[in-house]
Amino acid sequence: MSGEETVRVDLWIWSVRLLKTRSQATAACRAGHVRVNDERAKPATTVKAGDEVRVRVEGRERVVEVKKVIRKRVGAPVAAECLVDNSPPPPPRELTMPAGLRDRGAGRPTKRDRREMERLREQVNAPVFGDPDKIRRRLEGK
């Protein structure tokens, strides 16, 4: 038997605070949102130091490298020492904001309102290429 320590991936994800609860970590594994070394991971898949873990959290993919194996949930500063975060930066807030939300009690939208909401949804869902300032101006409607 080798001297390398291993731990279940769902337990490790919960321990380093990538997900709030152990049951959320297990559910993420079962749903296919967790990959270990580019292989789909079941909750009982083991991880060891040096493995790459990809977790889809709230529509964003977190890519982390296992630096240290832990079995118990620890504080945030200690958890940060157990992994190396190689995740891409999150998208700008203006690109992730919901489009076309109405105030409660405002009544049914008019035809003009519906067209504006559709136009906003098309702009938000369109692929983003090019100059960020140009994109911001387009989203602001200028």
Side-chain angles (χ1 to χ4, degrees):
M1 191 164 141
S2 69
E4 281 190 38
E5 250 188 281
T6 62
V7 68
R8 288 172 57 117
V9 69
D10 62 340
L11 180 61
W12 188 81
I13 289 171
W14 168 73
S15 298
V16 296
R17 299 173 167 264
L18 291 177
L19 290 169
K20 288 184 180 182
T21 66
R22 172 99 184 261
S23 59
Q24 282 180 343
T26 303
C29 291
R30 287 192 180 128
H33 298 300
V34 178
R35 298 179 82 78
V36 176
N37 297 327
D38 287 329
E39 296 288 325
R40 189 171 169 180
K42 293 182 180 180
T45 302
T46 58
V47 293
K48 60 186 181 308
D51 285 347
E52 180 188 70
V53 178
R54 292 176 177 264
V55 183
R56 194 147 177 79
V57 182
E58 297 172 1
R60 180 175 167 233
E61 188 173 53
R62 299 282 308 268
V63 180
V64 295
E65 182 183 333
V66 180
K67 195 170 166 185
K68 182 179 173 186
V69 174
I70 57 173
R71 286 185 166 75
K72 302 254 184 196
R73 191 163 172 97
V74 292
V78 178
E81 295 172 1
C82 297
L83 58 91
V84 177
D85 196 351
N86 299 324
S87 304
R93 269 192 93 174
E94 55 268 358
L95 296 179
T96 59
M97 293 180 67
L101 294 180
R102 293 178 54 79
D103 293 330
R104 197 164 165 83
R108 291 181 61 178
T110 63
K111 192 171 192 174
R112 181 180 179 186
D113 292 337
R114 282 197 315 271
R115 286 180 178 158
E116 287 177 8
M117 285 189 287
E118 287 172 9
R119 184 178 53 81
L120 284 172
R121 281 192 195 108
E122 288 172 2
Q123 287 178 352
V124 169
N125 293 331
V128 178
F129 302 106
D131 183 28
D133 292 328
K134 199 182 252 186
I135 294 166
R136 183 180 41 75
R137 285 193 302 271
R138 186 179 72 188
L139 289 174
E140 292 173 354
K142 294 180 180 176

PDB file of all heavy atoms in Angstrom, residues 64-99:
ATOM      1  N   VAL A  64      -9.553  23.789  -9.638  1.00  0.00           N
ATOM      2  CA  VAL A  64      -8.619  23.837  -8.513  1.00  0.00           C
ATOM      3  C   VAL A  64      -7.704  22.619  -8.545  1.00  0.00           C
ATOM      4  O   VAL A  64      -8.075  21.563  -9.044  1.00  0.00           O
ATOM      5  CB  VAL A  64      -9.358  23.903  -7.153  1.00  0.00           C
ATOM      6  CG1 VAL A  64     -10.133  25.184  -7.017  1.00  0.00           C
ATOM      7  CG2 VAL A  64     -10.261  22.714  -6.956  1.00  0.00           C
ATOM      8  N   GLU A  65      -6.517  22.817  -8.017  1.00  0.00           N
ATOM      9  CA  GLU A  65      -5.555  21.719  -7.889  1.00  0.00           C
ATOM     10  C   GLU A  65      -5.460  21.358  -6.412  1.00  0.00           C
ATOM     11  O   GLU A  65      -5.364  22.233  -5.553  1.00  0.00           O
ATOM     12  CB  GLU A  65      -4.184  22.152  -8.403  1.00  0.00           C
ATOM     13  CG  GLU A  65      -3.150  21.065  -8.351  1.00  0.00           C
ATOM     14  CD  GLU A  65      -1.788  21.549  -8.792  1.00  0.00           C
ATOM     15  OE1 GLU A  65      -1.720  22.509  -9.581  1.00  0.00           O
ATOM     16  OE2 GLU A  65      -0.794  20.964  -8.338  1.00  0.00           O
ATOM     17  N   VAL A  66      -5.516  20.068  -6.119  1.00  0.00           N
ATOM     18  CA  VAL A  66      -5.437  19.599  -4.738  1.00  0.00           C
ATOM     19  C   VAL A  66      -3.991  19.750  -4.268  1.00  0.00           C
ATOM     20  O   VAL A  66      -3.084  19.153  -4.830  1.00  0.00           O
ATOM     21  CB  VAL A  66      -5.877  18.118  -4.631  1.00  0.00           C
ATOM     22  CG1 VAL A  66      -5.776  17.650  -3.186  1.00  0.00           C
ATOM     23  CG2 VAL A  66      -7.279  17.929  -5.175  1.00  0.00           C
ATOM     24  N   LYS A  67      -3.818  20.574  -3.261  1.00  0.00           N
ATOM     25  CA  LYS A  67      -2.482  20.803  -2.712  1.00  0.00           C
ATOM     26  C   LYS A  67      -2.285  19.949  -1.460  1.00  0.00           C
ATOM     27  O   LYS A  67      -1.203  19.431  -1.225  1.00  0.00           O
ATOM     28  CB  LYS A  67      -2.354  22.291  -2.367  1.00  0.00           C
ATOM     29  CG  LYS A  67      -0.987  22.796  -2.123  1.00  0.00           C
ATOM     30  CD  LYS A  67      -1.068  24.317  -2.046  1.00  0.00           C
ATOM     31  CE  LYS A  67       0.177  24.920  -1.466  1.00  0.00           C
ATOM     32  NZ  LYS A  67       0.013  26.367  -1.308  1.00  0.00           N
ATOM     33  N   LYS A  68      -3.366  19.799  -0.690  1.00  0.00           N
ATOM     34  CA  LYS A  68      -3.312  19.052   0.553  1.00  0.00           C
ATOM     35  C   LYS A  68      -4.647  18.338   0.742  1.00  0.00           C
ATOM     36  O   LYS A  68      -5.697  18.902   0.464  1.00  0.00           O
ATOM     37  CB  LYS A  68      -3.063  20.023   1.713  1.00  0.00           C
ATOM     38  CG  LYS A  68      -2.934  19.390   3.060  1.00  0.00           C
ATOM     39  CD  LYS A  68      -2.656  20.480   4.089  1.00  0.00           C
ATOM     40  CE  LYS A  68      -2.677  19.905   5.482  1.00  0.00           C
ATOM     41  NZ  LYS A  68      -2.548  20.961   6.493  1.00  0.00           N
ATOM     42  N   VAL A  69      -4.598  17.102   1.200  1.00  0.00           N
ATOM     43  CA  VAL A  69      -5.814  16.315   1.426  1.00  0.00           C
ATOM     44  C   VAL A  69      -6.271  16.526   2.864  1.00  0.00           C
ATOM     45  O   VAL A  69      -5.493  16.368   3.806  1.00  0.00           O
ATOM     46  CB  VAL A  69      -5.531  14.813   1.176  1.00  0.00           C
ATOM     47  CG1 VAL A  69      -6.732  13.978   1.536  1.00  0.00           C
ATOM     48  CG2 VAL A  69      -5.146  14.594  -0.271  1.00  0.00           C
ATOM     49  N   ILE A  70      -7.553  16.922   3.020  1.00  0.00           N
ATOM     50  CA  ILE A  70      -8.125  17.079   4.364  1.00  0.00           C
ATOM     51  C   ILE A  70      -9.460  16.363   4.404  1.00  0.00           C
ATOM     52  O   ILE A  70     -10.135  16.206   3.381  1.00  0.00           O
ATOM     53  CB  ILE A  70      -8.279  18.563   4.763  1.00  0.00           C
ATOM     54  CG1 ILE A  70      -9.138  19.323   3.754  1.00  0.00           C
ATOM     55  CG2 ILE A  70      -6.947  19.225   4.947  1.00  0.00           C
ATOM     56  CD1 ILE A  70      -9.472  20.734   4.186  1.00  0.00           C
ATOM     57  N   ARG A  71      -9.862  15.940   5.604  1.00  0.00           N
ATOM     58  CA  ARG A  71     -11.107  15.193   5.772  1.00  0.00           C
ATOM     59  C   ARG A  71     -12.157  15.969   6.555  1.00  0.00           C
ATOM     60  O   ARG A  71     -13.317  15.633   6.533  1.00  0.00           O
ATOM     61  CB  ARG A  71     -10.842  13.879   6.490  1.00  0.00           C
ATOM     62  CG  ARG A  71     -10.179  12.863   5.627  1.00  0.00           C
ATOM     63  CD  ARG A  71     -10.058  11.527   6.347  1.00  0.00           C
ATOM     64  NE  ARG A  71      -9.712  10.473   5.414  1.00  0.00           N
ATOM     65  CZ  ARG A  71      -8.530  10.294   4.887  1.00  0.00           C
ATOM     66  NH1 ARG A  71      -7.557  11.135   5.184  1.00  0.00           N
ATOM     67  NH2 ARG A  71      -8.300   9.314   4.049  1.00  0.00           N
ATOM     68  N   LYS A  72     -11.747  16.982   7.279  1.00  0.00           N
ATOM     69  CA  LYS A  72     -12.671  17.753   8.110  1.00  0.00           C
ATOM     70  C   LYS A  72     -12.801  19.160   7.547  1.00  0.00           C
ATOM     71  O   LYS A  72     -11.860  19.706   6.980  1.00  0.00           O
ATOM     72  CB  LYS A  72     -12.124  17.860   9.536  1.00  0.00           C
ATOM     73  CG  LYS A  72     -11.887  16.534  10.189  1.00  0.00           C
ATOM     74  CD  LYS A  72     -12.928  16.280  11.201  1.00  0.00           C
ATOM     75  CE  LYS A  72     -12.582  14.966  11.896  1.00  0.00           C
ATOM     76  NZ  LYS A  72     -13.626  14.421  12.620  1.00  0.00           N
ATOM     77  N   ARG A  73     -13.969  19.758   7.718  1.00  0.00           N
ATOM     78  CA  ARG A  73     -14.190  21.126   7.268  1.00  0.00           C
ATOM     79  C   ARG A  73     -13.368  22.064   8.154  1.00  0.00           C
ATOM     80  O   ARG A  73     -13.385  21.943   9.382  1.00  0.00           O
ATOM     81  CB  ARG A  73     -15.671  21.481   7.341  1.00  0.00           C
ATOM     82  CG  ARG A  73     -16.012  22.776   6.656  1.00  0.00           C
ATOM     83  CD  ARG A  73     -17.501  22.824   6.430  1.00  0.00           C
ATOM     84  NE  ARG A  73     -17.960  24.102   5.946  1.00  0.00           N
ATOM     85  CZ  ARG A  73     -18.181  24.375   4.682  1.00  0.00           C
ATOM     86  NH1 ARG A  73     -17.965  23.452   3.775  1.00  0.00           N
ATOM     87  NH2 ARG A  73     -18.635  25.550   4.311  1.00  0.00           N
ATOM     88  N   VAL A  74     -12.673  22.978   7.522  1.00  0.00           N
ATOM     89  CA  VAL A  74     -11.786  23.886   8.243  1.00  0.00           C
ATOM     90  C   VAL A  74     -12.157  25.329   7.900  1.00  0.00           C
ATOM     91  O   VAL A  74     -12.958  25.584   7.007  1.00  0.00           O
ATOM     92  CB  VAL A  74     -10.304  23.617   7.882  1.00  0.00           C
ATOM     93  CG1 VAL A  74      -9.866  22.270   8.413  1.00  0.00           C
ATOM     94  CG2 VAL A  74     -10.070  23.708   6.397  1.00  0.00           C
ATOM     95  N   GLY A  75     -11.546  26.258   8.594  1.00  0.00           N
ATOM     96  CA  GLY A  75     -11.780  27.669   8.338  1.00  0.00           C
ATOM     97  C   GLY A  75     -11.279  28.078   6.960  1.00  0.00           C
ATOM     98  O   GLY A  75     -10.449  27.395   6.348  1.00  0.00           O
ATOM     99  N   ALA A  76     -11.768  29.208   6.483  1.00  0.00           N
ATOM    100  CA  ALA A  76     -11.431  29.672   5.134  1.00  0.00           C
ATOM    101  C   ALA A  76      -9.932  29.871   4.919  1.00  0.00           C
ATOM    102  O   ALA A  76      -9.413  29.484   3.873  1.00  0.00           O
ATOM    103  CB  ALA A  76     -12.204  30.950   4.814  1.00  0.00           C
ATOM    104  N   PRO A  77      -9.177  30.462   5.862  1.00  0.00           N
ATOM    105  CA  PRO A  77      -7.735  30.627   5.626  1.00  0.00           C
ATOM    106  C   PRO A  77      -7.001  29.291   5.488  1.00  0.00           C
ATOM    107  O   PRO A  77      -6.114  29.140   4.652  1.00  0.00           O
ATOM    108  CB  PRO A  77      -7.242  31.386   6.864  1.00  0.00           C
ATOM    109  CG  PRO A  77      -8.440  32.047   7.423  1.00  0.00           C
ATOM    110  CD  PRO A  77      -9.588  31.155   7.096  1.00  0.00           C
ATOM    111  N   VAL A  78      -7.383  28.296   6.287  1.00  0.00           N
ATOM    112  CA  VAL A  78      -6.749  26.981   6.214  1.00  0.00           C
ATOM    113  C   VAL A  78      -7.177  26.282   4.920  1.00  0.00           C
ATOM    114  O   VAL A  78      -6.364  25.632   4.256  1.00  0.00           O
ATOM    115  CB  VAL A  78      -7.122  26.128   7.451  1.00  0.00           C
ATOM    116  CG1 VAL A  78      -6.510  24.741   7.345  1.00  0.00           C
ATOM    117  CG2 VAL A  78      -6.667  26.817   8.720  1.00  0.00           C
ATOM    118  N   ALA A  79      -8.449  26.432   4.545  1.00  0.00           N
ATOM    119  CA  ALA A  79      -8.953  25.809   3.313  1.00  0.00           C
ATOM    120  C   ALA A  79      -8.215  26.362   2.096  1.00  0.00           C
ATOM    121  O   ALA A  79      -7.935  25.625   1.142  1.00  0.00           O
ATOM    122  CB  ALA A  79     -10.451  26.049   3.177  1.00  0.00           C
ATOM    123  N   ALA A  80      -7.892  27.654   2.109  1.00  0.00           N
ATOM    124  CA  ALA A  80      -7.194  28.266   0.976  1.00  0.00           C
ATOM    125  C   ALA A  80      -5.798  27.673   0.793  1.00  0.00           C
ATOM    126  O   ALA A  80      -5.277  27.650  -0.320  1.00  0.00           O
ATOM    127  CB  ALA A  80      -7.097  29.773   1.178  1.00  0.00           C
ATOM    128  N   GLU A  81      -5.200  27.167   1.866  1.00  0.00           N
ATOM    129  CA  GLU A  81      -3.873  26.558   1.787  1.00  0.00           C
ATOM    130  C   GLU A  81      -3.926  25.146   1.202  1.00  0.00           C
ATOM    131  O   GLU A  81      -2.893  24.601   0.830  1.00  0.00           O
ATOM    132  CB  GLU A  81      -3.231  26.493   3.174  1.00  0.00           C
ATOM    133  CG  GLU A  81      -2.947  27.854   3.764  1.00  0.00           C
ATOM    134  CD  GLU A  81      -2.494  27.772   5.211  1.00  0.00           C
ATOM    135  OE1 GLU A  81      -2.380  26.651   5.742  1.00  0.00           O
ATOM    136  OE2 GLU A  81      -2.269  28.833   5.799  1.00  0.00           O
ATOM    137  N   CYS A  82      -5.117  24.553   1.143  1.00  0.00           N
ATOM    138  CA  CYS A  82      -5.264  23.163   0.690  1.00  0.00           C
ATOM    139  C   CYS A  82      -5.502  23.050  -0.808  1.00  0.00           C
ATOM    140  O   CYS A  82      -5.634  21.945  -1.325  1.00  0.00           O
ATOM    141  CB  CYS A  82      -6.412  22.497   1.443  1.00  0.00           C
ATOM    142  SG  CYS A  82      -6.116  22.392   3.208  1.00  0.00           S
ATOM    143  N   LEU A  83      -5.594  24.168  -1.506  1.00  0.00           N
ATOM    144  CA  LEU A  83      -5.851  24.126  -2.941  1.00  0.00           C
ATOM    145  C   LEU A  83      -5.169  25.271  -3.650  1.00  0.00           C
ATOM    146  O   LEU A  83      -4.803  26.270  -3.044  1.00  0.00           O
ATOM    147  CB  LEU A  83      -7.356  24.152  -3.234  1.00  0.00           C
ATOM    148  CG  LEU A  83      -8.177  25.337  -2.708  1.00  0.00           C
ATOM    149  CD1 LEU A  83      -8.260  26.453  -3.728  1.00  0.00           C
ATOM    150  CD2 LEU A  83      -9.570  24.866  -2.373  1.00  0.00           C
ATOM    151  N   VAL A  84      -4.985  25.100  -4.955  1.00  0.00           N
ATOM    152  CA  VAL A  84      -4.475  26.160  -5.824  1.00  0.00           C
ATOM    153  C   VAL A  84      -5.597  26.453  -6.810  1.00  0.00           C
ATOM    154  O   VAL A  84      -6.004  25.579  -7.582  1.00  0.00           O
ATOM    155  CB  VAL A  84      -3.202  25.715  -6.577  1.00  0.00           C
ATOM    156  CG1 VAL A  84      -2.735  26.809  -7.517  1.00  0.00           C
ATOM    157  CG2 VAL A  84      -2.111  25.330  -5.599  1.00  0.00           C
ATOM    158  N   ASP A  85      -6.117  27.675  -6.778  1.00  0.00           N
ATOM    159  CA  ASP A  85      -7.262  28.038  -7.623  1.00  0.00           C
ATOM    160  C   ASP A  85      -6.770  28.497  -8.991  1.00  0.00           C
ATOM    161  O   ASP A  85      -6.117  29.520  -9.113  1.00  0.00           O
ATOM    162  CB  ASP A  85      -8.076  29.137  -6.951  1.00  0.00           C
ATOM    163  CG  ASP A  85      -9.453  29.306  -7.556  1.00  0.00           C
ATOM    164  OD1 ASP A  85      -9.727  28.694  -8.606  1.00  0.00           O
ATOM    165  OD2 ASP A  85     -10.264  30.038  -6.963  1.00  0.00           O
ATOM    166  N   ASN A  86      -7.079  27.708 -10.035  1.00  0.00           N
ATOM    167  CA  ASN A  86      -6.722  28.050 -11.409  1.00  0.00           C
ATOM    168  C   ASN A  86      -7.950  28.438 -12.224  1.00  0.00           C
ATOM    169  O   ASN A  86      -7.942  28.333 -13.450  1.00  0.00           O
ATOM    170  CB  ASN A  86      -6.023  26.858 -12.075  1.00  0.00           C
ATOM    171  CG  ASN A  86      -4.749  26.483 -11.366  1.00  0.00           C
ATOM    172  OD1 ASN A  86      -4.037  27.336 -10.883  1.00  0.00           O
ATOM    173  ND2 ASN A  86      -4.473  25.192 -11.282  1.00  0.00           N
ATOM    174  N   SER A  87      -9.009  28.879 -11.557  1.00  0.00           N
ATOM    175  CA  SER A  87     -10.267  29.205 -12.225  1.00  0.00           C
ATOM    176  C   SER A  87     -10.111  30.455 -13.085  1.00  0.00           C
ATOM    177  O   SER A  87      -9.394  31.380 -12.718  1.00  0.00           O
ATOM    178  CB  SER A  87     -11.367  29.463 -11.201  1.00  0.00           C
ATOM    179  OG  SER A  87     -11.513  28.367 -10.353  1.00  0.00           O
ATOM    180  N   PRO A  88     -10.828  30.492 -14.229  1.00  0.00           N
ATOM    181  CA  PRO A  88     -10.843  31.729 -15.006  1.00  0.00           C
ATOM    182  C   PRO A  88     -11.588  32.806 -14.220  1.00  0.00           C
ATOM    183  O   PRO A  88     -12.433  32.482 -13.381  1.00  0.00           O
ATOM    184  CB  PRO A  88     -11.587  31.340 -16.283  1.00  0.00           C
ATOM    185  CG  PRO A  88     -12.366  30.128 -15.931  1.00  0.00           C
ATOM    186  CD  PRO A  88     -11.616  29.442 -14.834  1.00  0.00           C
ATOM    187  N   PRO A  89     -11.274  34.074 -14.459  1.00  0.00           N
ATOM    188  CA  PRO A  89     -11.962  35.136 -13.718  1.00  0.00           C
ATOM    189  C   PRO A  89     -13.455  35.137 -14.050  1.00  0.00           C
ATOM    190  O   PRO A  89     -13.860  34.754 -15.155  1.00  0.00           O
ATOM    191  CB  PRO A  89     -11.289  36.421 -14.213  1.00  0.00           C
ATOM    192  CG  PRO A  89     -10.650  36.052 -15.499  1.00  0.00           C
ATOM    193  CD  PRO A  89     -10.332  34.600 -15.436  1.00  0.00           C
ATOM    194  N   PRO A  90     -14.293  35.547 -13.092  1.00  0.00           N
ATOM    195  CA  PRO A  90     -15.734  35.581 -13.359  1.00  0.00           C
ATOM    196  C   PRO A  90     -16.063  36.633 -14.412  1.00  0.00           C
ATOM    197  O   PRO A  90     -15.321  37.620 -14.568  1.00  0.00           O
ATOM    198  CB  PRO A  90     -16.341  35.946 -12.006  1.00  0.00           C
ATOM    199  CG  PRO A  90     -15.253  36.600 -11.248  1.00  0.00           C
ATOM    200  CD  PRO A  90     -13.969  36.011 -11.752  1.00  0.00           C
ATOM    201  N   PRO A  91     -17.167  36.454 -15.155  1.00  0.00           N
ATOM    202  CA  PRO A  91     -17.541  37.453 -16.162  1.00  0.00           C
ATOM    203  C   PRO A  91     -17.939  38.765 -15.490  1.00  0.00           C
ATOM    204  O   PRO A  91     -18.327  38.769 -14.323  1.00  0.00           O
ATOM    205  CB  PRO A  91     -18.732  36.809 -16.874  1.00  0.00           C
ATOM    206  CG  PRO A  91     -19.267  35.809 -15.918  1.00  0.00           C
ATOM    207  CD  PRO A  91     -18.117  35.357 -15.089  1.00  0.00           C
ATOM    208  N   PRO A  92     -17.837  39.877 -16.221  1.00  0.00           N
ATOM    209  CA  PRO A  92     -18.227  41.167 -15.640  1.00  0.00           C
ATOM    210  C   PRO A  92     -19.692  41.146 -15.203  1.00  0.00           C
ATOM    211  O   PRO A  92     -20.518  40.463 -15.797  1.00  0.00           O
ATOM    212  CB  PRO A  92     -18.033  42.160 -16.787  1.00  0.00           C
ATOM    213  CG  PRO A  92     -17.182  41.466 -17.777  1.00  0.00           C
ATOM    214  CD  PRO A  92     -17.362  40.007 -17.584  1.00  0.00           C
ATOM    215  N   ARG A  93     -19.998  41.891 -14.152  1.00  0.00           N
ATOM    216  CA  ARG A  93     -21.355  41.890 -13.590  1.00  0.00           C
ATOM    217  C   ARG A  93     -22.414  42.318 -14.591  1.00  0.00           C
ATOM    218  O   ARG A  93     -23.505  41.773 -14.611  1.00  0.00           O
ATOM    219  CB  ARG A  93     -21.427  42.828 -12.390  1.00  0.00           C
ATOM    220  CG  ARG A  93     -21.129  42.092 -11.113  1.00  0.00           C
ATOM    221  CD  ARG A  93     -21.480  42.923  -9.957  1.00  0.00           C
ATOM    222  NE  ARG A  93     -22.849  42.604  -9.567  1.00  0.00           N
ATOM    223  CZ  ARG A  93     -23.430  43.082  -8.515  1.00  0.00           C
ATOM    224  NH1 ARG A  93     -22.797  43.904  -7.750  1.00  0.00           N
ATOM    225  NH2 ARG A  93     -24.662  42.759  -8.198  1.00  0.00           N
ATOM    226  N   GLU A  94     -22.094  43.305 -15.427  1.00  0.00           N
ATOM    227  CA  GLU A  94     -23.120  43.800 -16.363  1.00  0.00           C
ATOM    228  C   GLU A  94     -23.512  42.740 -17.385  1.00  0.00           C
ATOM    229  O   GLU A  94     -24.593  42.790 -17.952  1.00  0.00           O
ATOM    230  CB  GLU A  94     -22.704  45.096 -17.050  1.00  0.00           C
ATOM    231  CG  GLU A  94     -21.386  45.076 -17.773  1.00  0.00           C
ATOM    232  CD  GLU A  94     -20.228  45.521 -16.892  1.00  0.00           C
ATOM    233  OE1 GLU A  94     -20.427  45.877 -15.730  1.00  0.00           O
ATOM    234  OE2 GLU A  94     -19.099  45.501 -17.405  1.00  0.00           O
ATOM    235  N   LEU A  95     -22.638  41.765 -17.623  1.00  0.00           N
ATOM    236  CA  LEU A  95     -22.974  40.700 -18.564  1.00  0.00           C
ATOM    237  C   LEU A  95     -23.768  39.580 -17.910  1.00  0.00           C
ATOM    238  O   LEU A  95     -24.367  38.769 -18.600  1.00  0.00           O
ATOM    239  CB  LEU A  95     -21.701  40.130 -19.197  1.00  0.00           C
ATOM    240  CG  LEU A  95     -20.910  41.105 -20.054  1.00  0.00           C
ATOM    241  CD1 LEU A  95     -19.661  40.435 -20.603  1.00  0.00           C
ATOM    242  CD2 LEU A  95     -21.761  41.636 -21.191  1.00  0.00           C
ATOM    243  N   THR A  96     -23.780  39.517 -16.573  1.00  0.00           N
ATOM    244  CA  THR A  96     -24.503  38.454 -15.880  1.00  0.00           C
ATOM    245  C   THR A  96     -25.793  38.939 -15.243  1.00  0.00           C
ATOM    246  O   THR A  96     -26.509  38.148 -14.658  1.00  0.00           O
ATOM    247  CB  THR A  96     -23.622  37.825 -14.789  1.00  0.00           C
ATOM    248  OG1 THR A  96     -23.239  38.837 -13.858  1.00  0.00           O
ATOM    249  CG2 THR A  96     -22.394  37.166 -15.382  1.00  0.00           C
ATOM    250  N   MET A  97     -26.087  40.225 -15.336  1.00  0.00           N
ATOM    251  CA  MET A  97     -27.293  40.754 -14.708  1.00  0.00           C
ATOM    252  C   MET A  97     -28.525  40.294 -15.480  1.00  0.00           C
ATOM    253  O   MET A  97     -28.520  40.244 -16.702  1.00  0.00           O
ATOM    254  CB  MET A  97     -27.237  42.278 -14.654  1.00  0.00           C
ATOM    255  CG  MET A  97     -26.163  42.794 -13.717  1.00  0.00           C
ATOM    256  SD  MET A  97     -26.093  44.566 -13.656  1.00  0.00           S
ATOM    257  CE  MET A  97     -27.637  44.930 -12.872  1.00  0.00           C
ATOM    258  N   PRO A  98     -29.598  39.963 -14.758  1.00  0.00           N
ATOM    259  CA  PRO A  98     -30.827  39.548 -15.439  1.00  0.00           C
ATOM    260  C   PRO A  98     -31.446  40.718 -16.203  1.00  0.00           C
ATOM    261  O   PRO A  98     -31.387  41.866 -15.763  1.00  0.00           O
ATOM    262  CB  PRO A  98     -31.733  39.087 -14.308  1.00  0.00           C
ATOM    263  CG  PRO A  98     -31.186  39.714 -13.077  1.00  0.00           C
ATOM    264  CD  PRO A  98     -29.727  39.935 -13.316  1.00  0.00           C
ATOM    265  N   ALA A  99     -32.003  40.402 -17.351  1.00  0.00           N
ATOM    266  CA  ALA A  99     -32.608  41.440 -18.193  1.00  0.00           C
ATOM    267  C   ALA A  99     -34.123  41.320 -18.156  1.00  0.00           C
ATOM    268  O   ALA A  99     -34.674  40.230 -18.151  1.00  0.00           O
ATOM    269  CB  ALA A  99     -32.121  41.291 -19.629  1.00  0.00           C
TER     270      ALA A  99
END
